[in-house]
Amino acid sequence: MSEHDLEKRQFGHRARLALSPACALKADGQGHAARTMWNLLHAWWRMMPKEKRTLANADAAIRQARQDIDFLTVLPAQAAQAVLKTYFQAWKNYWEGRADAPNFKGRLRTVMSVDIPQGRDLNIVRVHRRWGMANIPKVGRVRFRWTKDLPAGKHSGKENRITGARLVKDVLGWHIAFRVQTLQARPEPHQGPDVGIDMGVTVPIALSDGETYEHGARLNDKEKARLVRLEQRAAQRKHHRKPGERISRRLHRTYDQIAGLRAKAKRRALDWQHQTTTVIARTYGTVVVEALTITNMVKSARGTIEEPGKNVAQKSGLNRSISQEAWGRTVTMLTYKTARYGGSLHKVPAPNTSRRCSTCGFTTPGSRESQAVFVCKNPDCGWSGNADHNAARNVLHLYRMSLALIPAAGRAVVRRAKRVKPAAAR
C-alpha cells in the first residue's frame, strides 16, 4: 500500500479513571490550581495595557505566580503553559466571532480539567482485558477503563501515537480524554444508497426509506421516582434556608445526587446516538439532513412586559425536548462517521419540509393533520402517510434537485470532490 492510500486521522477517546482517594485528592488540587491560574491570567489581562498583553509577558507572569504562590506548584509546568495557550486561544475565538469573551471561572459552575500536552509522559500500558494504566504527572500511576484499542506499547510509533490528554471531572468522577493520531487506509467511496433524515421530538430519527430509530426512557421508573424525591427534598431544604445563608452540606449532597442521575441519563442518550449514527454511516453513502438553526428554535416565548408571549409553558417544554434530543450532536457525529466510511453528509434548507407533499410537491395549509399523519390537500393528489417519512423524503428530494440544477460537467466535478473530500477532511 502506497503512501497516497494512507491518511492521518485524529480523534479523541474518553475513558473513566479509577483513582485512589489519595490520587483523587491530588487531581482535585491540580484542577483547582488550573482554574486559579486561568483567573489570575484573566485579572492580569484586564490590568495590563494593550501594548503589554503579549504571550511572552503572560508567560513571565505565570512563572512569577508559581514562585510566589505555593498552591500553584501542584500544577505541572506544562499544564500551566497549556492554560496560557487555552486562554489566548479563547481570546482569538472571541475576536473572530466564534465564541464569547473569556470570563472569570467560578468554583461551583466550572468543570475542573487539567491538560497533559505531552503524550509521551503518559506511558500507557494495557494490563488487563478491561483495564489500562497511565502515568499522570504529579498524580502517579493510575488505572483507566480500556474500552477502545489505543496505540500503547509496541503498537505505538511515530504515526500511531497519543499526542496528549486532558483530565476532566464531572459528576461521575474523573475521566481522561486521549488525543490519538493514527495512520489508516483511505476509505473507498461508499456505494450505499442516498437517504434523507428528518429529526424530531416524538420520533427522534426518521429516514426517507421508511426506517425509524427511537429510544426508550433514559431513566427507568425507580430512577425517575428517586429523581422526583430528590428534587422535592432539595426544594424543601432550599425553602428553609435563610436569605444570605450558605448552602448546607446536606443540600449540596442532594444536588450531587440529582446531577448524578441526570448525568446517567445523558450518558445513555450519548450511547444511543453513537450506535444509531454508526449504523446509518455504515449503511448509506450519502446522508442528507436539514440545516437547522437550533439556537433560534429553542428561544423562550416569554416576550417582554409590553408584549408578553403566549403559551410560554408549552414552548418551554418543547425547548427542553429539543435540547434533550441534541440534534446538533447527531449531525456532528454523522459528519465525521460518514467521512470515516467513505460517504458524505449534505445539508438542505429546512423551511416547509414538514408541510410539503413528497408526492406532488404542493404545500397546502392543514396538510399536517396530526403529529404522525400527513394528508395532502391537493385534489389531484390526496396522498397520505407518515408525516416524518414525508419530511425525510422532501429532504432527500431537495438534495437531488440541487444536483439536477448543476450542469453535467459540474456534476462530474462535484462527484470527484465528494470522493476526495472525506479523505482530505480527516
Side-chain angles (χ1 to χ4, degrees):
M1 184 178 294
S2 63
E3 295 182 358
H4 299 286
D5 297 330
L6 299 175
E7 63 180 5
K8 287 185 179 180
R9 178 187 165 210
Q10 296 180 349
F11 64 94
H13 174 64
R14 181 165 169 161
R16 179 168 58 88
L17 289 174
L19 299 179
S20 64
C23 291
L25 190 62
K26 294 179 181 179
D28 290 344
Q30 290 191 15
H32 290 302
R35 180 184 57 83
T36 305
M37 183 70 71
W38 174 284
N39 293 334
L40 291 175
L41 269 173
H42 188 61
W44 175 88
W45 179 276
R46 298 182 64 181
M47 181 181 61
M48 287 289 113
K50 289 186 178 180
E51 61 273 8
K52 294 186 178 181
R53 295 175 181 175
T54 62
L55 191 62
N57 292 338
D59 181 62
I62 280 182
R63 295 176 183 272
Q64 187 64 36
R66 287 173 57 82
Q67 294 178 3
D68 296 340
I69 305 175
D70 296 337
F71 168 69
L72 298 179
T73 57
V74 299
L75 187 68
Q78 293 180 345
Q81 293 295 322
V83 174
L84 174 60
K85 293 180 180 179
T86 304
Y87 184 78
F88 269 73
Q89 183 62 39
W91 275 112
K92 185 178 180 180
N93 295 338
Y94 169 69
W95 292 330
E96 297 177 358
R98 295 194 299 265
D100 296 333
N103 204 344
F104 179 85
K105 288 189 175 182
R107 181 187 179 103
L108 298 179
R109 66 175 183 270
T110 302
V111 177
M112 288 202 300
S113 63
V114 181
D115 197 78
I116 306 175
Q118 300 295 337
R120 62 175 180 267
D121 296 338
L122 295 171
N123 193 16
I124 297 174
V125 176
R126 186 174 186 178
V127 296
H128 190 263
R129 181 172 63 90
R130 294 184 177 181
W131 294 96
M133 295 199 73
N135 183 43
I136 307 300
K138 291 195 174 183
V139 173
R141 199 76 176 157
V142 299
R143 293 192 306 164
F144 66 91
R145 287 285 294 179
W146 191 282
T147 57
K148 185 180 182 66
D149 290 335
L150 298 172
K154 63 180 181 180
H155 300 289
S156 178
K158 183 178 180 180
E159 301 297 341
N160 299 312
R161 60 194 179 95
I162 294 178
T163 60
R166 176 175 284 269
L167 301 180
V168 182
K169 185 179 182 180
D170 59 10
V171 182
L172 302 177
W174 280 99
H175 296 72
I176 183 168
F178 297 104
R179 296 187 288 268
V180 187
Q181 176 182 302
T182 60
L183 189 65
Q184 297 182 350
R186 182 177 288 111
E188 294 293 331
H190 202 301
Q191 302 300 327
D194 302 343
V195 67
I197 296 181
D198 175 70
M199 289 178 287
V201 176
T202 304
V203 179
I205 295 179
L207 306 186
S208 56
D209 58 2
E211 187 72 23
T212 58
Y213 293 93
E214 301 182 36
H215 56 74
R218 270 66 184 271
L219 297 176
N220 56 36
D221 295 338
K222 291 184 178 180
E223 292 169 339
K224 289 180 181 179
R226 183 166 179 263
L227 179 60
V228 171
R229 291 196 303 269
L230 289 173
E231 290 176 342
Q232 292 175 348
R233 185 184 305 169
Q236 293 173 356
R237 291 176 176 173
K238 184 178 179 181
H239 176 72
H240 291 290
R241 185 167 60 94
K242 297 179 181 180
E245 184 181 359
R246 296 184 60 181
I247 298 178
S248 64
R249 293 183 179 181
R250 288 185 177 182
L251 185 55
H252 266 305
R253 177 173 175 78
T254 305
Y255 283 152
D256 292 340
Q257 292 173 339
I258 293 174
L261 285 174
R262 291 177 177 172
K264 182 181 294 186
K266 182 179 179 180
R267 185 176 55 181
R268 291 171 181 172
L270 189 64
D271 179 68
W272 178 86
Q273 279 184 307
H274 271 296
Q275 294 187 25
T276 305
T277 52
T278 300
V279 172
I280 294 175
R282 287 177 176 175
T283 307
Y284 302 97
T286 301
V287 179
V288 189
V289 298
E290 297 173 298
L292 299 173
T293 309
I294 302 176
T295 54
N296 293 338
M297 297 176 64
V298 297
K299 285 185 177 179
S300 175
R302 185 174 301 173
T304 61
I305 298 177
E306 294 78 11
E307 297 180 0
K310 299 180 180 179
N311 299 326
V312 179
Q314 292 86 337
K315 184 63 169 62
S316 178
L318 177 62
N319 292 345
R320 285 194 298 269
S321 300
I322 293 175
S323 300
Q324 289 174 359
E325 293 300 331
W327 296 338
R329 190 168 60 200
T330 300
V331 174
T332 301
M333 291 181 181
L334 286 173
T335 302
Y336 73 81
K337 289 184 180 181
T338 51
R340 181 188 303 173
Y341 293 105
S344 59
L345 182 134
H346 302 271
K347 295 182 180 181
V348 297
N352 294 326
T353 53
S354 298
R355 299 190 298 170
R356 185 185 302 114
C357 178
S358 59
T359 301
C360 65
F362 276 80
T363 302
T364 55
S367 298
R368 191 80 178 254
E369 293 192 349
S370 65
Q371 180 65 30
V373 179
F374 181 93
V375 178
C376 182
K377 300 300 182 180
N378 184 11
D380 298 331
C381 178
W383 180 84
S384 63
N386 185 274
D388 298 310
H389 297 318
N390 174 75
R393 291 169 61 183
N394 285 327
V395 170
L396 181 59
H397 178 70
L398 287 175
Y399 166 73
R400 291 174 175 173
M401 286 294 294
S402 64
L403 289 183
L405 295 176
I406 303 176
R411 288 200 297 271
V413 174
V414 170
R415 291 193 184 97
R416 288 198 296 271
K418 283 168 58 180
R419 294 181 182 179
V420 176
K421 185 177 180 181
R426 295 187 302 275

